[in-house]
Amino acid sequence: MRVNKTKQKLEAGGTAFGFELGLGSALVAEGLARTGIDYLQIDTQHGDWGQDSVIAALMAIEGSDCTPIARVARNDYTLIGRLLDEGMMGIVVPMVHTAEDAKAAADACFYPPKGTRSCGWARIGRTTEDYWSWIDDEVLLMVQIESITAVENAEAILSTPGVAGCWTGPADLAFSMGIHPRDQRQSDEHILALERVLEACKNTGKVPGIAAMNPEDAAARAADGWRFINAGQDAAILMDAAAAGVRTVGLERAVLDRTTSY
């Protein structure tokens, strides 16, 4: 049996921090899994991952205390099932706008009678004893509230059985409101929308999550009440460290502005 330590931490009322992986590198996953971070989120929606590299990353993470979580490319029954079959302990589902969307995600994540996940003898079943008897208790399902429609439906979405909480995407939310992501923090309307998501989580007893730009932003989001927080992305961590090094040695180069990554 494998224990989902991130889910345990959240259920105990704690705050879990993660790094997002987009580079498609199992070696990066191996290194970051051993930094003390709670979870790594393999981004198969926007990241440079294929099925073989996802499996390699899972193998690299195993043996650490870090929870492997995947953002699925879309709310698709087969894609969600395949990621779980390969060994994911958590799934983040993008663009969940309604309770019906949330139910489809939950159905794909859990075996009957809780859901409708298909039963197959895949990688995780070959490498983990008695998988089918415990996995439904360990899967962490987070749905993305990243449109104003989803904000309006947030309580219904979060009330869906099997949904542990949300992972809010501030940039997509801004776009859906007619706000450029670079202006989101100056928009009272956007700030109010995020507060509505926090309130919906409080009212339903579910975990509020959000994408932060970096560890400093993640700490600020935690102080605001968010509890499932991406604290940075592998490429940004690498490039920020490299840019700092370039400045340290006295070189001047144009640095990509990633302040609107989320």
Side-chain angles (χ1 to χ4, degrees):
M1 176 177 174
R2 296 183 184 176
V3 175
N4 189 329
K5 294 183 178 180
T6 296
K7 186 175 183 179
Q8 278 190 339
K9 189 173 189 178
L10 294 171
E11 289 179 342
T15 299
F17 295 96
F19 291 135
E20 183 174 320
L21 302 181
L23 289 173
S25 170
L27 289 173
V28 170
E30 183 178 46
L32 291 180
R34 288 153 178 84
T35 61
I37 200 75
D38 291 307
Y39 66 89
L40 293 180
Q41 181 174 293
I42 297 173
D43 184 7
T44 68
Q45 183 187 21
H46 295 297
D48 299 316
W49 293 98
Q51 186 175 349
D52 288 346
S53 57
V54 166
I55 292 172
L58 281 165
M59 295 171 70
I61 295 169
E62 287 169 8
S64 73
D65 289 330
C66 187
T67 305
I69 293 174
R71 174 157 64 165
V72 68
R74 60 182 180 276
N75 192 356
D76 180 274
Y77 176 88
T78 300
L79 293 179
I80 292 171
R82 287 296 295 270
L83 288 167
L84 291 170
D85 286 348
E86 287 159 2
M88 295 299 172
M89 298 296 288
I91 297 289
V92 174
V93 181
M95 295 294 176
V96 172
H97 306 295
T98 65
E100 290 76 17
D101 291 340
K103 184 179 186 305
D107 281 346
C109 281
F110 299 100
Y111 289 119
K114 190 173 182 178
T116 61
R117 181 182 169 190
S118 178
C119 182
W121 194 246
R123 174 183 177 267
I124 191 64
R126 295 190 298 267
T127 59
T128 308
E129 186 177 356
D130 206 16
Y131 175 75
W132 297 328
S133 68
W134 55 261
I135 187 57
D136 277 359
D137 294 327
E138 300 300 325
V139 169
L140 178 70
L141 170 60
M142 307 295 282
V143 297
Q144 284 199 249
I145 292 179
E146 49 185 343
S147 70
I148 193 60
T149 299
V151 172
E152 292 165 353
N153 293 324
E155 288 203 22
I157 290 169
L158 291 162
S159 296
T160 303
V163 172
C166 66
W167 190 61
T168 308
D172 277 312
L173 175 59
F175 272 132
S176 79
M177 301 171 71
I179 301 165
H180 194 285
R182 67 169 172 259
D183 300 322
Q184 61 181 272
R185 291 174 186 269
Q186 288 74 50
S187 168
D188 291 339
E189 187 180 4
H190 189 273
I191 292 168
L192 179 60
L194 292 180
E195 290 175 352
R196 290 175 64 185
V197 175
L198 281 171
E199 185 66 19
C201 289
K202 180 179 178 181
N203 292 341
T204 56
K206 300 299 178 72
V207 176
I210 197 165
M213 293 181 294
N214 50 48
E216 293 76 19
D217 186 37
R221 294 295 195 185
D224 290 337
W226 303 94
R227 296 201 295 114
F228 178 78
I229 309 171
N230 276 27
Q233 195 251 12
D234 53 1
I237 292 168
L238 174 65
M239 294 173 70
D240 287 346
V246 166
R247 291 192 295 270
T248 297
V249 299
L251 296 176
E252 294 184 2
R253 296 287 187 272
V255 178
L256 180 66
D257 179 9
R258 288 180 302 282
T259 58
T260 59
S261 294
Y262 299 107

